[in-house]
Structure formats: structure tokens, C-alpha cells
């Protein structure tokens, strides 16, 4: 299928549903982009094949096959596939061990493995591999590439292992340098300087410019250098890959290495381009099938393994490509170049390609990725992968990275979230995260630090509590209380340990009583649900206990938010509501610090502009100075002020009586206007009916303020009526046209 996403990009193979007119529409973008990618791809394809010791034409075959087969059958609209530097090390080892014809057969086999990956829908599972391992692997490949190709740039020959390349490099640097070294250095120098040149110059791709200048220099100076050796014409259809002979384990390892590295780079490239383009995300399983088919074709025709290449894909996007026709056309241009411009390609010195590969390898050691890995605490994983890949081989590097990642995970489970906090004469043992048998040694060490015969709060905020950890806590609690101490269990979230003394864990969440988070539920309700802990929230200063918990748990999470609000507020809403303790504005509006400018009074009344200074000052400040975008008046069910207006006012409260005179307009509206409905019906209680009228009246009173009237006239302010049914925990919004409050689950349009 093909979908046009926002008239920008396609998401399927061309020609299935795309009319010819649509394809022509995008060709004006795709043709120029394909030319740019072609100019980048040719030198890179030759350089990758040269670095791996493969026939140079194999790199061009891979670029042609990858651009056509992978683009047609894959899922990513803008991905460009071809030979990749990430595979040079594996392919070089495979060629050295099995020969080129057998390597082609193994490339085709790796393509079959990729197809199986896609058909079994495991593509997304491969993304579960730690980014630190992926970046470490790419950095290791980059270092191996640089260390090997530097010898070629300096006029020598790369050694058989990375360690030998490192040991021989100092002698190569200080040794005699011939014409090849000059060409290689010129290539690297041009690539480094190209990004600093004017934009008009940089329209020519850097790799093309560097190789072209180095080639022109070598030809003009008449240098006698090893150059690109291309056969006369493309490989014939008679090419047949040979079945590899040797160790079956080594063959399987090589095939899996090619399949895994090619799959990882292709998926990472597809995900990277998805972050930049609009429209649906790439079907990664289908993309793997397309990449696998391309590798089957490339191996059968004597080509280098194919992957989705990040550099070419990003170049394609930045050049303005709209559909997969750009990648297909770039392959057509490469094919034409092989057929009609092979003579020009034969002028390219191999030293120039080596210089190009040094630059590409250095870019694989991405410092931005390294900083990101370090921020996440995964630097040991990155370094283990890199060192394993450089010192031994790529699979060893991946295995080392996985081993270190598992070790770090176990360490975090063992040591994080178990500590003792002193609170004056009291002691608090805080346990967070997953508490398993692995944590028991650390847990017993921490519990041993608790002073004897004291009052101890055992604060559990655990995601999981296994049998061994449960028994450890239970045994310690019993022993501590027998010795004269007191243990208060303060459990947040799922009550794994609520019946710890009885030795009965609450394993299944379905059999546990639902716990309202204490920061939402009233403290009195929380205490009622934890009668076995009478002292947890009790005492004469419960509010101070709550502030203590805020300081320890909530403040660290919101400190950056309040830091941004330290120098001023910019609320978006003035929220006028009743002082009733059951109304929590931030809770029922899902808002946080800095969102609401709140005014609360008895009955959520808004006196007219000439009748009150307090509420009027708040309105003028919020609308006139803070420029809020909305004013909400929120009434509620069971309002004591409405009952008082209906004649149920307590005697002897002069100030309350004086204030409620501002509600007389609501009483008049009730007598003169028809009923205001709640979800199409009149509320049962008279006070609730009056509360609905009251919200409408207060919205009318708001318009008596000049600052509000002016903001409404400019279209900068919106007035909203809201009603909260306390018993049902339902929020309703006013639809003034229907004279009805409608459930916020289906909000009315403003």
C-alpha cells in the first residue's frame, strides 16, 4: 500500500496505489535529491569495498541492488541502502577466512536470516539492545577502520589485526611518506575543511569533492599510484556464489554477525529518519524483509552486504527527497556510471579512498552519543563493547557489553533504594524499587544499623517483593519488636507487606484493597484504611508530618519546576471556586504549580465590579496584569453557601450573612429564569439546582469588570462555567447555548 502523509512523503513501494500524476508531482524533488545521494554514494561504496578487501565493483553492485530492491520492498520511504562501513571488519575477516565467492553466499544467507527476523516480527525486539552497546559497537568499528586505513593513507599496508595496527602506527607516522601519503592527507584535509566553506560551495558533497580533488592532483602531477581496478562491464549472470567450507560454527557466527549488524544499522537509520519526517512510523519488520531481500540479491550477484546507511539516508532527506523514488533513481545513476563512466572511476587513487574511510571511521566515534551514554550512567557498557570489539572481534564486544549491562542492572538492584534516614529521635528505613533475594545481603547490612529499642518506620515503596526479601523483613520485624523496639510499616502503593507479621504476602494485586495515593486522599481516609498504624499520621501536628513527606519525596521531583517559577508566574487560568475543603482545583483540572491563579470564597461568588474590592482586585490582577487566557467559575454539589441562601443559614454569623448578600442575584435568577440542567436533567436537591444557577450568574457578574469586558472584546479571554459533583467525582462544563452542564468526558466546544 501507499499512503501520502500530509502531501509530503510516501510510506509504501511505488506504483501500487500512487497515480502517475502523484509520482510526477514529487519527481521535481526526488530527481535532484537522487543526484546528490548518487554523488555521495559512489566514492563511499568504492571505499567500503576497498577497506574490506572485496572487489571494488562489489561496492557499486551493492549500491545498485540496495537502492532498488531494499527501497521497493522495504517500509522506510526515505531510507537509502547500500554498502556500509559498519560491516567492513566482519566482511574483511570473512573474506580472509572463506574467500570472496563463499562470502557472497554467506551474504545471501544473512539476507534469509533477516527475512526470517521480519516475518517473525522481532524487529522491535532488537531495539531493546542498550543504546550504549550499539554506540560502543559503532565506535569500535570506527576505531578499527581508522587504525587500519591510516596505514594506507601514510603509504603502507594495513596489518591483519587492530593490535598490530596500533603497535606499528608510530613507526608508520615517523617513517618515509611517498606520493600515496600526500594524496591521502589531501583527501582527509579537504573533508575536514569542507564543512567550514560557504554554503554555495558545500552544495557539492564533501566526499565527492575530496576524492575528485585528490584524483585531479594525482593525475596532474603524473603520480604512479595504485588506482581503482574495475573490470570491463558489470558481473555477468553466470556468477555463482560458492558454499563455504570449514567450521560450521564459524560459518554460522559469520552469517549471524552480518545479519545482526546489517539489521541493527538499518533499523537505527529508519528510526532516525522517522524522527525527522512527518507521517506514520516505519514498519520495522517489513523494513527487515526488504533489507533481507536486498542481501539475497546482492550476494547472488557478487555484491557487498547491504544495510540502510545513516549518512546516505540523512543526505537524501536534507536534499529534499519526498518518496522512495529518490533512492531508486540514485541506483539508476550508479548503474549508468558503471556502464559509461568506468574510465573516470579507474583514475581514483586507492589512497584517496583510504583517506575517505579514515574520515568516515572517525565520525562513527560520535562524541554526542558518548555524552548521552555517560549521562545515563552506561559508560562502562559503552567502553566494554568498544574495547571488546577493538581487542578481539565485534561479537566479543557485543557479548562484553551485554555482560557489563547485566552486571550494572544487578548492582542497581542490590544497592539502590535501601538506606537509613535519621529524623531526630526517630529512625526511618527507606526501601525503594524491586526487593529480591539479590538485595537481602544489602538489606541485612542496612537493618543492622538501626538503633536498638527505638521507634522505627519501615517505609516501603517497592515494585516487587520476593519470598526471600519478605522473610528477611518479617524476621527482622519480629526480632526487633521482641527486643523492645517498635516497627511502623509505612507502605506506599501495592501492599506487599501489609500482613507481614502474619507471614502472608499480598502477591496478587487483585486481592489487595485499592489504595488511594496519600497525596490525593484526605489524611483521615488514609488513616481509616490503615487502622493497624494509628501513629502513622496521628499526633497533634499531622500537617507538619505531611510537609515532611513533601520535602523528602515530592520536592526533589518538582524542584526544577519551581526553580523556573522563582522569578515570576504566568498562569493560564483564573480559577474561582468555593472554599469547601472537598474541592481541590489542581486535582480536578490535572494541573500543577504555576498553572492556576486561584480565588476561593464562600459560595464561589463574584461580586459585581462596584460591590467588592477583594475579589475585584484578584480579577484585575489576573486578567489585566497576568493576562490569563481563561476564567473558570466552579460550583459544586452540597454547597453550604447555597443551603444558607435557601434559608438554612446559621444564626449569629454577621460576616457570613453580609457576604452572602452577594448571592441575592442568584436567587433572583432562580425565580425568573428556567432551570439549568445537569446532563439533561434537574438535580434532585434544591441546593444543587441553585448552585448551577449560581455559576451562570457569576459568569455574568464577571462581565461587569471593565478589564474582563475589554479582554473578551479583543478575543484574548474565555469564560468557563464548571460544576463538580462531589459524590460522583464528576466534572461538568457549561454549554451556555443549551443552558446545561455537560460531562467533561465529552467537553463542549468553546
Amino acid at each position: 500500500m501507499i499512503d501520502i502523509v500530509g502531501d509530503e512523503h510516501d510510506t509504501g513501494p511505488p506504483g501500487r496505489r500512487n497515480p502517475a500524476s502523484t509520482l510526477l508531482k514529487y519527481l521535481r524533488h526526488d530527481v535532484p535529491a537522487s543526484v546528490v545521494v548518487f554523488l555521495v554514494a559512489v566514492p563511499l561504496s568504492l571505499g567500503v569495498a576497498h577497506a574490506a578487501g572485496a572487489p571494488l565493483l562489489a561496492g557499486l553492485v551493492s549500491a545498485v541492488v540496495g537502492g532498488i530492491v531494499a527501497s521497493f520492498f522495504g517500509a522506510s520511504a526515505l531510507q537509502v541502502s547500500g554498502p556500509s562501513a559498519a560491516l567492513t571488519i566482519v566482511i574483511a575477516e570473512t573474506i580472509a577466512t572463506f574467500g570472496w565467492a563463499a562470502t557472497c553466499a554467506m551474504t545471501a544467507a544473512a539476507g534469509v536470516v533477516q527475512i526470517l527476523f521480519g516475518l517473525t516480527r522481532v524487529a522491535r525486539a532488537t531495539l531493546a539492545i542498550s543504546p550504549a552497546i550499539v554506540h560502543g559497537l559503532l565506535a569500535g568499528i570506527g576505531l578499527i577502520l581508522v587504525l587500519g586505513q591510516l596505514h594506507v593513507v601514510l603509504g603502507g599496508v594495513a596489518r591483519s589485526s587492530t593490535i598490530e595496527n596500533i603497535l606499528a602506527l608510530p613507526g608508520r607516522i615517523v617513517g618515509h611518506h611517498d606520493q600515496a601519503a600526500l594524496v591521502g592527507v589531501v583527501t582527509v584535509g579537504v573533508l575536514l575543511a569542507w564543512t567550514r566553506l560557504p554554503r554555495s560551495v558545500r552544495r557539492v558533497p564533501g566526499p565527492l569533492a575530496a576524492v575528485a580533488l585528490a584524483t585531479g592532483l594525482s593525475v596532474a602531477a603524473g603520480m604512479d599510484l595504485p588506482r581503482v581496478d574495475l573490470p570491463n562491464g558489470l558481473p555477468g549472470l553466470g556468477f555463482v556464489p560458492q558454499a563455504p567450507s570449514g567450521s560450521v560454527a564459524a560459518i554460522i557466527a559469520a552469517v549471524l554477525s552480518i545479519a545482526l549488524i546489517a539489521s541493527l544499522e538499518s533499523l537505527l537509520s529508519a528510526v532516525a529518519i522517522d524522527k525527522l519526517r512527518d507521517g506514520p512510523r516505519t514498519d520495522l519488520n517489513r523494513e527487515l524483509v526488504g533489507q533481507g531481500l536486498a542481501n539475497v540479491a546482492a550476494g547472488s550477484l557478487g555484491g557487498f552486504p547491504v544495510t540502510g546507511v545513516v549518512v546516505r539516508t540523512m543526505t537524501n532527506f536534507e536534499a529534499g527527497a519526498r518518496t522512495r523514488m529518490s533512492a531508486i533513481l540514485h541506483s539508476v545513476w550508479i548503474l549508468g556510471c558503471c556502464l559509461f563512466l568506468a574510465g573516470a572511476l579507474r583514475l581514483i587513487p586507492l589512497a584517496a579512498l583510504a583517506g575517505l574511510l579514515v574520515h568516515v571511521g572517525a565520525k562513527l566515534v560520535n562524541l554526542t552519543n558518548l555524552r548521552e551514554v555517560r549521562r545515563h550512567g552506561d559508560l562502562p557498557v559503552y567502553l566494554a563493547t568498544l574495547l571488546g570489539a577493538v581487542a578481539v572481534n565485534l561479537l566479543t564486544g557485543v557479548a562484553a557489553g551485554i555482560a557489563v549491562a547485566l552486571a550494572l542492572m544487578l548492582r542497581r538492584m542490590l544497592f539502590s533504594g535501601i538506606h537509613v534516614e535519621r529524623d531526630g529521635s526517630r529512625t526511618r528505613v527507606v526501601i525503594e524499587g524491586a526487593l529480591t533475594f539479590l538485595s537481602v545481603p544489602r538489606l541485612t547490612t542496612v537493618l543492622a544499623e538501626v538503633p536498638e529499642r527505638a521507634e522505627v518506620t519501615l517505609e516501603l515503596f517497592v515494585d516487587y517483593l520476593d519470598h526471600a526479601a519478605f522473610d528477611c523483613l518479617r524476621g527482622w520485624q519480629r526480632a526487633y519488636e521482641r527486643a523492645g523496639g517498635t516497627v511502623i510499616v509505612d507502605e506506599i502503593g501495592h501492599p506487599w507487606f501489609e500482613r507481614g507479621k502474619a507471614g502472608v504476602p499480598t502477591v496478587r494485586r487483585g486481592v489487595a484493597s485499592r489504595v488511594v495515593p496519600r497525596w490525593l486522599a484526605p489524611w483521615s481516609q488514609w488513616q481509616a484504611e490503615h487502622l493497624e498504624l494509628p501513629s502513622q499520621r496521628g499526633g497533634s501536628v499531622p500537617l507538619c508530618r505531611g510537609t515532611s513527606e513533601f520535602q523528602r519525596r515530592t520536592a526533589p521531583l518538582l524542584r526544577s519546576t519551581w526553580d523556573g517559577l522563582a522569578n515570576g508566574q504566568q498562569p493560564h487560568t483564573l480559577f474561582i471556586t468555593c472554599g469547601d475543603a472537598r474541592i481541590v482545583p489542581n486535582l480536578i483540572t490535572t494541573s500543577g504549580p504555576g498553572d492556576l491563579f486561584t480565588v476561593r470564597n464562600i459560595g464561589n461568588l463574584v461580586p459585581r465590579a462596584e460591590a467588592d474590592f477583594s475579589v475585584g482586585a484578584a480579577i484585575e490582577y489576573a486578567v489585566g496584569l497576568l493576562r490569563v487566557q481563561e476564567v473558570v467559575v466552579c460550583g459544586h454539589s452540597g454547597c453550604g453557601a447555597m443551603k444558607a441562601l435557601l434559608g438554612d443559614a446559621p444564626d449569629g454569623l454577621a460576616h457570613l450573612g453580609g457576604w452572602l448578600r452577594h448571592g441575592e442575584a442568584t436567587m433572583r435568577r432562580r425565580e425568573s429564569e428556567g432551570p439549568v440542567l445537569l446532563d439533561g436533567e434537574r438535580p434532585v436537591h434544591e441546593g444543587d439546582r441553585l448552585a448551577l444557577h449560581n455559576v451562570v450568574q457569576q459568569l455574568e457578574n464577571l462581565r461587569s469588570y471593565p478589564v474582563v469586558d475589554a479582554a473578551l472584546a479583543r478575543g484574548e479571554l474565555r469564560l468557563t462555567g464548571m460544576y463538580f459533583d462531589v459524590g460522583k467525582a464528576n466534572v461538568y462544563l457549561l454549554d451556555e447555548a443549551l443552558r446545561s452542564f455537560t460531562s467533561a468526558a465529552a467537553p463542549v466546544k468553546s
Side-chain angles (χ1 to χ4, degrees):
M1 289 176 60
I2 209 169
D3 292 314
I4 303 303
V5 182
D7 289 336
E8 287 290 334
H9 307 288
D10 74 343
T11 58
R16 294 186 185 177
R17 285 175 54 184
N18 236 5
S21 59
T22 304
L23 288 177
L24 291 174
K25 172 184 176 182
Y26 292 122
L27 279 178
R28 64 189 181 90
H29 300 286
D30 291 335
V31 170
S34 69
V35 173
V36 173
V37 179
F38 151 70
L39 295 175
V40 171
V42 169
L44 286 178
S45 299
L46 292 171
V48 167
H50 169 64
L56 296 182
L57 190 59
L60 298 176
V61 170
S62 174
V64 172
V65 171
I68 294 175
V69 178
S71 297
F72 191 89
F73 292 102
S76 179
L78 300 183
Q79 174 130 281
V80 181
S81 301
S84 167
L87 277 168
T88 54
I89 310 306
V90 171
I91 298 304
E93 294 177 356
T94 307
I95 294 172
T97 306
F98 300 101
W100 173 244
T103 299
C104 290
M106 296 163 78
T107 295
V112 174
V113 173
Q114 286 183 285
I115 294 172
L116 293 176
F117 284 164
L119 294 178
T120 53
R121 309 190 69 77
V122 299
R124 290 199 175 274
T126 62
L127 297 180
I129 297 175
S130 169
I133 295 175
V134 175
H135 296 316
L137 180 64
L138 292 176
I141 292 170
L143 279 179
I144 295 170
L145 204 57
V146 169
L147 292 170
Q149 294 304 306
L150 267 178
H151 285 277
V152 181
V153 168
L154 297 175
V157 178
R159 303 300 198 272
S160 59
S161 74
T162 304
I163 302 300
E164 291 179 4
N165 281 325
I166 294 174
L167 295 176
L169 190 58
R172 176 61 57 189
I173 293 174
V174 300
H176 172 72
H177 303 303
D178 55 12
Q179 295 174 335
L182 175 62
V183 170
V185 170
V186 167
T187 304
V188 175
V190 171
L191 287 167
L192 292 176
W194 203 252
T195 56
R196 297 176 173 83
L197 296 178
R199 182 183 296 272
S200 58
V201 177
R202 285 188 283 115
R203 290 180 179 177
V204 179
L208 175 66
V211 172
L213 289 173
T215 301
L217 173 64
S218 69
V219 172
M223 297 180 182
D224 184 16
L225 297 172
R227 299 181 187 272
V228 169
D229 182 18
L230 292 179
N232 293 320
L234 294 174
L237 295 178
F239 177 84
V240 178
Q242 295 179 3
S245 59
S247 168
V248 175
I251 294 171
I252 294 175
V255 169
L256 289 178
S257 296
I258 296 171
L260 289 173
I261 294 174
S263 299
L264 275 175
E265 180 163 14
S266 299
L267 294 177
L268 289 172
S269 176
V271 170
I273 199 64
D274 276 350
K275 293 178 180 178
L276 299 178
R277 63 183 289 266
D278 298 326
R281 304 300 88 184
T282 297
D283 181 342
L284 298 180
N285 293 299
R286 181 178 137 194
E287 179 63 23
L288 274 191
V289 172
Q291 294 291 332
L293 289 170
N295 272 318
V296 170
S300 302
L301 294 174
F304 200 86
V306 170
T307 76
V309 187
V310 175
V311 174
R312 298 179 206 184
T313 301
M314 292 301 176
T315 301
N316 192 39
F317 175 81
E318 291 169 0
R322 292 293 187 270
T323 74
R324 64 193 66 232
M325 281 303 298
S326 174
I328 294 173
L329 286 173
H330 114 281
S331 296
V332 173
W333 310 144
I334 294 175
L335 180 61
C337 181
C338 293
L339 293 175
F340 304 112
L341 297 175
L345 295 179
R346 293 190 184 99
L347 297 175
I348 299 175
L350 295 182
L353 297 181
L356 177 62
L357 265 294
V358 167
H359 184 260
V360 171
K363 291 183 71 174
L364 288 177
V365 187
N366 191 304
L367 295 180
T368 301
N369 291 337
L370 178 58
R371 285 192 289 268
E372 183 71 16
V373 166
R374 185 171 178 270
R375 277 199 297 269
H376 286 276
D378 287 337
L379 186 59
V381 178
Y382 178 95
L383 293 176
T385 306
L386 186 151
L387 294 175
V390 171
V392 188
N393 55 48
L394 300 184
L395 286 181
T396 301
V398 172
I402 292 174
V404 173
L406 290 174
L408 285 177
M409 181 187 70
L410 291 176
R411 184 184 182 279
R412 287 161 183 164
M413 291 180 65
L414 286 169
F415 292 98
S416 65
I418 305 176
H419 61 279
V420 174
E421 294 180 358
R422 300 286 194 273
D423 184 11
S425 61
R426 294 188 175 129
T427 302
R428 181 179 296 272
V429 179
V430 180
I431 302 174
E432 299 174 303
L435 198 62
T436 69
F437 67 95
L438 296 171
S439 306
V440 169
R442 167 71 176 168
L443 179 61
T444 55
T445 301
V446 172
L447 293 176
E449 301 174 8
V450 177
E452 297 180 355
R453 293 183 293 277
E455 181 180 304
V456 180
T457 298
L458 183 62
E459 186 173 291
L460 296 175
F461 198 171
V462 295
D463 305 311
Y464 175 69
L465 183 69
D466 78 352
H467 190 180
F470 181 92
D471 278 351
C472 178
L473 287 176
R474 178 191 177 203
W476 172 80
Q477 182 181 11
R478 285 183 168 181
Y480 193 83
E481 292 185 340
R482 279 199 301 267
T486 301
V487 178
I488 299 173
V489 179
D490 181 5
E491 194 158 17
I492 303 172
H494 177 69
W496 295 98
F497 199 66
E498 68 175 351
R499 294 178 289 175
K501 287 185 180 180
V504 183
T506 308
V507 177
R508 290 184 294 112
R509 296 179 185 270
V511 300
S513 58
R514 297 186 66 183
V515 180
V516 178
R518 66 181 67 182
W519 47 85
L520 302 183
W523 291 353
S524 56
Q525 179 181 344
W526 195 93
Q527 286 178 308
E529 293 175 353
H530 297 75
L531 293 176
E532 72 278 12
L533 309 175
S535 61
Q536 171 57 30
R537 289 279 190 177
S540 59
V541 285
L543 190 63
C544 294
R545 296 292 298 275
T547 56
S548 174
E549 180 169 321
F550 164 82
Q551 200 61 46
R552 288 186 300 104
R553 290 200 170 276
T554 309
L557 301 177
L558 292 174
R559 188 161 287 129
S560 61
T561 300
W562 267 302
D563 181 61
L565 298 170
N567 296 321
Q569 58 172 324
Q570 289 184 316
H572 54 68
T573 300
L574 167 60
F575 197 88
I576 303 173
T577 190
C578 186
D580 194 298
R582 298 167 294 178
I583 310 302
V584 187
N586 289 103
L587 177 60
I588 65 175
T589 60
T590 315
S591 52
D595 292 336
L596 305 182
F597 188 85
T598 306
V599 173
R600 305 189 69 152
N601 59 53
I602 303 301
N604 48 272
L605 300 177
V606 180
R608 293 186 64 82
E610 66 278 1
D612 177 78
F613 288 104
S614 176
V615 176
I619 292 171
E620 289 184 346
Y621 189 83
V623 177
L625 296 180
L626 298 179
R627 301 287 184 181
V628 296
Q629 302 163 24
E630 183 177 23
V631 179
V632 175
V633 176
C634 178
H636 66 96
S637 63
C639 181
M642 299 301 104
K643 295 176 183 177
L645 285 172
L646 290 170
D648 191 17
D651 297 328
L653 300 178
H655 291 90
L656 177 62
W659 171 255
L660 289 178
R661 281 199 293 272
H662 295 300
E664 292 175 355
T666 298
M667 295 295 292
R668 291 193 295 270
R669 172 178 288 275
R670 168 176 168 267
E671 298 299 330
S672 61
E673 301 284 344
V676 180
L677 304 180
L678 187 67
D679 255 358
E681 299 179 354
R682 298 182 68 184
V684 175
H685 300 290
E686 190 64 33
D688 295 343
R689 298 176 187 174
L690 184 62
L692 299 177
H693 280 288
N694 187 53
V695 171
V696 177
Q697 180 61 47
Q698 306 319 310
L699 292 175
E700 182 178 310
N701 290 352
L702 275 169
R703 293 182 172 89
S704 69
Y705 289 83
V707 67
V708 172
D709 188 56
L712 289 171
R714 294 192 302 269
E716 298 175 356
L717 187 66
R718 180 174 65 250
L719 302 184
T720 300
M722 183 181 293
Y723 180 83
F724 182 64
D725 189 321
V726 176
K728 296 179 180 178
N730 278 352
V731 176
Y732 299 87
L733 300 176
L734 174 63
D735 186 335
E736 293 189 83
L738 299 177
R739 290 183 53 82
S740 176
F741 283 81
T742 307
S743 173
V748 296
K749 295 181 180 180
S750 59

